[in-house]
Amino acid sequence: MSTPEKPRDALPEDPSEDPSEAPPEDLPQGPRDESRDDLREDAERCLRALAGERARLREDQWTAIRALVVERRRALVVQRTGWGKSAVYFVATRLLRERGAGPTVIVSPLLALMRNQIDAAERAGIRARTINSANTEDWDRVFAEVEAGEVDVLLVSPERLNNPDFRDLVLPKLAAGAGLVVVDEAHCISDWGHDFRPDYRRLRTLLAELPPGVPVLATTATANARVTQDVAEQLAADDALVLRGPLERDSLHLAVVRLPDAERRIAWLGEHLDALPGSGIIYTLTVAAAHEIAGFLRERGYEVAAYSGQTEPAERLQAEQDLLDNKLKALVATSALGMGFDKPDLGFIVHVGAPQSPVAYYQQIGRAGRGVDRAEVILLPGVEDRDIWAYFASLAFPPEPVVRSTLAVLEEAGRPLSTGALEPRVDLGRSRLEMMLKVLDVDGAVRRVKGGWTATGRDWAYDRERYERVAAERSREQRAMLDYLAIEGCREEFLRRQLDDPAAAPCGRCDNCTGRHWPAEVSDAGAGQARDRLRRPGVEVAPRRMWPTGVKDDLGVAGRIPPGQQAEPGRALGRLTDIGWGNRLRELFAGPDTEISADMFDAVVKVLAAWDWEARPAGVVAIGSRSRPALVGSLGRRLAQIGRLPYLGEFVPLGEPGPRRHNSAQRLRSVWHALALPDDVAAAVRDAGGPVLLVDDRIETGWTMTVATRALRDAGAPAVLPLVLAVNA
């Protein structure tokens, strides 16, 4: 592999253009229009304040600014990352404010992106404030500053648009007084986009209700022709200006490295991370993989940190700053670190696992190489990628009967119901239920009010054809991602064609264009270290501590689970989403029921050996399984044998298996009466007089284990120690 070139020492910052690309100022520019030239001179002055004395406006930047400031039009700008889309709305803001307009309202999807935008605005002397879930204590002060005319830019998260108080009391005032409305990362509006967010769809209503003459700008770096058309239509303007430019990134050097298994992929990282220039991002598809890889690389001596949507906000902010300050070689991150992160000198991006869309992939790699000559972009695909894609696909908009039943529940209630109150009555998990309600809110079928959700009574049609087309598009994108891995031609050209870039052409830089491929070999020692890390067994499983809402009337339980009915923190061999044991466990559950294999049992024994329990188990009980009796039974009996413990027996499954349930209340109801503890087993538990090791094959929602624990504690077990092969996540 050739040695990466050294970064350029001085470049205009993100919003600007290299002056070498600007037209010479002494060349004829057409007939002189004094007002036009004066405005452009003002715009150039604003840009220099924002991005430095060498900055010059691109022609499309100027076209967009003039459309917003002079013509008060609605515009969609689709340009590559680093082109300078933020310069358009900051310069337009400055010009509009100087001409007496109200503040700019920017709808921005991520807190990290807001922080970067506020910093950029301050460099140009633009006073920016933000309203989001992390600064509620500042809202009153911010609103007072807006009303006093002391704020030039107000950044709002899309989730605020559906907060009842904000939507009904604050938003109308902002919309009435806005000088410019900006929709950042506008592909989120479109359900054809790779990062569709229901809250963004509400913007269509906001835009339709703006006073005449308020300009609107939508921006994105990742939109194909279909998304571009959809967003342009949602701007609620017949003459929306669409400015779409080429998406070439001449600093990116794309490559794919195929390795046979997860061990060799992270071993490859451990042996090649030093060869990657500067600092960068290592993307993973799951939270578990981010932590596994970060742990392995730290053991190899690298300064890295894990980063996901589950990371505490303060830790995320510190990790971002450490990468910005080059204190880290890499952040090992999920897609939570995406649109919102701006570090122009990122030297590399590596994906361990392929995103399910070429568009999403191009958006993520666009973070690299914005202020350096060369950035390495490497994809390490895995055999488990398709399983993870399938999981994400399962979170699509629910089928019509589920939607109709939700609407019926709301109508029959005659009062607002919170999401928690709805969950026991609808067979959907919390996150999917919330997503569905937001879509129904945008469609006018429900409304979010104080106290929860209420039905509007309006007619609503289930757009089956559209949902099926979206699902088909997602499937097509996944096939295209597989094609990207196998393509023998230019990789960047392929990605740009997926984005319908008419200027797509061979880049001359990727591994296929140059014939220079990263080596796909790792040392035996490195592979062994990675294998040891990934096969290190044992995941702690926290017990359920609260009963779900909505089951008190029929099950008689509510609130906190009494300590005398709770399990101790349990253990699992691994997570199904792990890149180590996860692969083995997924294969196990995809195959026929068999007794536990020798190597998997040995790993479970290691989990037990490392378990620092307060008191040794006095016996083993298994949860009888309809689907895997051989697996669960053999696991329980062999553990009792090797631990020289009595095998006390099994719970007996009752009745026929019902439909799969997806949320806590529904799942608890389905297992509450489906498990029986035989009298002889209960007596054996009581006679054992000590903790019980409770064995099952996997934990999905945790309610089967919770119900079984309650029965064992009621039978006299002083403690219950759950042990399973797998947890879902």
Side-chain angles (χ1 to χ4, degrees):
M1 196 75 191
S2 59
T3 302
E5 299 172 18
K6 295 179 68 173
R8 287 177 282 185
D9 292 327
L11 278 178
E13 296 186 55
D14 168 33
S16 65
E17 178 183 14
D18 190 320
S20 64
E21 300 178 18
E25 296 184 1
D26 57 351
L27 290 181
Q29 301 293 314
R32 182 175 177 83
D33 179 337
E34 290 295 330
S35 62
R36 178 186 185 278
D37 286 353
D38 289 346
L39 181 65
R40 179 150 190 172
E41 184 177 336
D42 286 347
E44 296 280 7
R45 170 179 52 81
C46 293
L47 180 68
R48 289 193 294 273
L50 183 70
E53 286 300 317
R54 298 177 64 235
R56 299 290 185 274
L57 284 172
R58 304 176 190 273
E59 285 306 309
D60 274 0
Q61 285 175 319
W62 163 242
T63 300
I65 291 167
R66 190 172 192 279
L68 297 170
V69 176
V70 177
E71 301 166 10
R72 305 298 174 97
R73 291 180 67 182
R74 299 191 173 191
L76 169 61
V77 174
V78 183
Q79 299 282 358
R80 62 176 174 79
T81 302
W83 175 86
K85 296 180 289 295
S86 60
V88 172
Y89 51 74
F90 282 136
V91 170
T93 293
R94 185 75 171 266
L95 296 176
L96 286 165
R97 292 288 281 164
E98 289 175 353
R99 286 154 179 78
T104 292
V105 177
I106 302 176
V107 181
S108 187
L110 293 174
L111 298 183
L113 187 55
M114 288 184 180
R115 289 193 292 270
N116 288 330
Q117 288 166 327
I118 289 174
D119 291 343
E122 289 177 349
R123 289 199 300 269
I126 296 172
R127 298 162 297 182
R129 298 290 185 271
T130 179
I131 295 173
N132 58 68
S133 58
N135 72 337
T136 53
E137 69 281 359
D138 297 333
W139 286 12
D140 289 343
R141 176 178 55 79
V142 172
F143 292 145
E145 291 176 346
V146 171
E147 290 186 2
E150 299 171 357
V151 173
D152 300 313
V153 170
L154 181 66
L155 292 109
V156 179
S157 62
E159 290 73 23
R160 292 300 96 207
L161 301 176
N162 199 34
N163 174 277
D165 285 342
F166 185 85
R167 180 195 63 211
D168 297 335
L169 302 177
V170 178
L171 193 58
K173 294 180 182 178
L174 289 178
L180 170 66
V181 174
V182 177
V183 182
D184 210 359
E185 305 298 346
H187 60 272
C188 298
I189 293 177
S190 174
D191 52 10
W192 302 106
H194 70 273
D195 197 19
F196 165 65
R197 301 186 185 193
D199 289 303
Y200 256 70
R201 285 277 298 275
R202 199 173 318 284
L203 287 167
R204 182 166 189 165
T205 302
L206 167 66
L207 299 180
E209 295 174 353
L210 286 175
V214 176
V216 176
L217 173 66
T219 68
T220 181
T222 47
N224 58 21
R226 172 173 280 179
V227 174
T228 299
Q229 179 181 353
D230 193 20
V231 173
E233 290 173 356
Q234 295 196 49
L235 288 179
D238 296 331
D239 63 340
L241 171 67
V242 178
L243 296 171
R244 183 183 176 92
L247 301 176
E248 181 180 17
R249 293 291 308 281
D250 59 10
S251 64
L252 301 185
H253 292 244
L254 278 62
V256 172
V257 181
R258 289 182 174 273
L259 295 148
D261 50 42
E263 290 92 341
R264 285 175 174 79
R265 275 185 290 151
I266 74 162
W268 189 95
L269 271 177
E271 294 183 354
H272 291 86
L273 195 54
D274 269 340
L276 298 177
S279 57
I281 301 170
I282 300 169
Y283 277 112
T284 68
L285 298 185
T286 67
V287 174
H291 286 281
E292 285 282 8
I293 293 171
F296 172 75
L297 292 176
R298 281 195 295 268
E299 290 175 357
R300 293 290 300 257
Y302 291 108
E303 291 293 331
V304 300
Y307 184 108
S308 75
Q310 297 180 15
T311 306
E312 289 296 322
E315 293 179 19
R316 291 174 67 172
L317 184 59
Q318 186 61 55
E320 291 171 18
Q321 192 60 51
D322 286 346
L323 186 61
L324 288 170
D325 295 339
N326 294 315
K327 294 179 180 177
L328 297 175
K329 180 63 177 179
L331 278 185
V332 187
T334 65
S335 59
L337 185 73
M339 294 179 293
F341 190 73
D342 181 13
K343 178 177 168 61
D345 62 342
L346 273 179
F348 65 88
I349 287 182
V350 178
H351 280 75
V352 182
Q356 60 180 330
S357 159
V359 181
Y361 183 58
Y362 204 66
Q363 187 268 328
Q364 290 179 351
I365 66 176
R367 305 254 64 84
R370 296 165 61 176
V372 293
D373 281 333
R374 181 184 182 112
E376 302 295 338
V377 175
I378 302 169
L379 175 55
L380 308 175
V383 294
E384 71 275 10
D385 295 350
R386 297 191 205 191
D387 293 335
I388 297 171
W389 297 348
Y391 168 76
F392 290 138
S394 72
L395 303 180
F397 196 72
E400 184 171 6
V402 176
V403 184
R404 294 290 179 194
S405 68
T406 306
L407 292 173
V409 168
L410 288 171
E411 289 169 358
E412 292 168 4
R415 59 182 175 82
L417 294 178
S418 67
T419 308
L422 265 174
E423 192 174 11
R425 312 183 196 189
V426 180
D427 189 20
L428 287 175
R430 175 66 64 93
S431 60
R432 200 173 178 203
L433 174 60
E434 289 178 339
M435 182 273 287
M436 181 188 73
L437 289 168
K438 289 177 179 180
V439 172
L440 291 175
D441 191 357
V442 173
D443 291 346
V446 304
R447 182 171 175 80
R448 188 178 180 186
V449 297
K450 283 188 175 181
W453 302 89
T454 184
T456 63
R458 296 180 189 172
D459 290 337
W460 177 80
Y462 186 87
D463 196 347
R464 185 187 312 277
E465 182 180 352
R466 182 176 182 87
Y467 301 140
E468 289 176 350
R469 289 203 312 269
V470 170
E473 177 68 8
R474 296 288 177 268
S475 179
R476 186 203 66 78
E477 290 174 340
Q478 291 175 5
R479 292 194 300 272
M481 201 67 217
L482 296 175
D483 291 341
Y484 173 78
L485 303 178
I487 193 171
E488 295 180 356
C490 176
R491 297 195 189 278
E492 183 174 299
E493 179 184 18
F494 178 89
L495 294 175
R496 290 171 64 188
R497 290 196 184 282
Q498 292 297 312
L499 280 144
D500 298 317
D501 182 357
C507 69
R509 300 180 305 276
C510 71
D511 56 353
N512 285 343
C513 284
T514 62
R516 295 194 297 271
H517 297 270
W518 284 88
E521 296 80 27
V522 297
S523 68
D524 291 341
Q529 290 173 340
R531 187 179 305 109
D532 291 344
R533 172 74 197 193
L534 293 181
R535 295 192 180 183
R536 186 179 299 170
V539 174
E540 183 170 309
V541 181
R544 289 282 188 175
R545 301 193 185 279
M546 299 288 294
W547 297 113
T549 56
V551 298
K552 183 177 182 180
D553 290 345
D554 52 337
L555 301 184
V557 293
R560 183 173 295 278
I561 300 173
Q565 294 182 341
Q566 287 185 23
E568 300 300 309
R571 296 292 187 274
L573 174 59
R575 303 180 185 89
L576 291 177
T577 54
D578 284 344
I579 58 175
W581 276 107
N583 291 333
R584 288 286 311 281
L585 291 167
R586 286 194 301 272
E587 291 173 2
L588 173 69
F589 292 118
D593 180 35
T594 61
E595 294 193 355
I596 189 166
S597 64
D599 67 326
M600 192 169 286
F601 181 75
D602 289 344
V604 173
V605 172
K606 291 179 181 178
V607 173
L608 285 175
W611 196 341
D612 186 22
W613 45 49
E614 291 186 8
R616 190 174 188 273
V620 178
V621 173
I623 295 179
S625 173
R626 292 189 187 90
S627 60
R628 301 197 175 271
L631 178 64
V632 177
S634 65
L635 176 60
R637 288 184 172 84
R638 290 190 64 186
L639 285 172
Q641 181 181 19
I642 199 168
R644 298 181 180 179
L645 299 170
Y647 185 68
L648 305 178
E650 299 182 358
F651 279 85
V652 177
L654 301 177
E656 294 299 319
R660 180 183 176 87
R661 300 299 181 181
H662 298 87
N663 65 51
S664 287
Q666 297 276 2
R667 178 65 177 167
L668 179 60
R669 284 196 182 97
S670 70
V671 303
W672 188 263
H673 300 295
L675 287 177
L677 184 65
D679 290 342
D680 61 330
V681 178
V685 168
R686 185 167 52 252
D687 293 342
V692 171
L693 187 67
L694 180 58
V695 176
D696 201 359
D697 56 348
R698 63 194 285 186
I699 289 177
E700 294 185 70
T701 62
W703 290 115
T704 297
M705 193 64 73
T706 302
V707 170
T709 294
R710 182 174 184 264
L712 291 171
R713 296 296 303 271
D714 287 349
V720 174
L721 305 165
L723 175 68
V724 296
L725 295 176
V727 289
N728 275 12

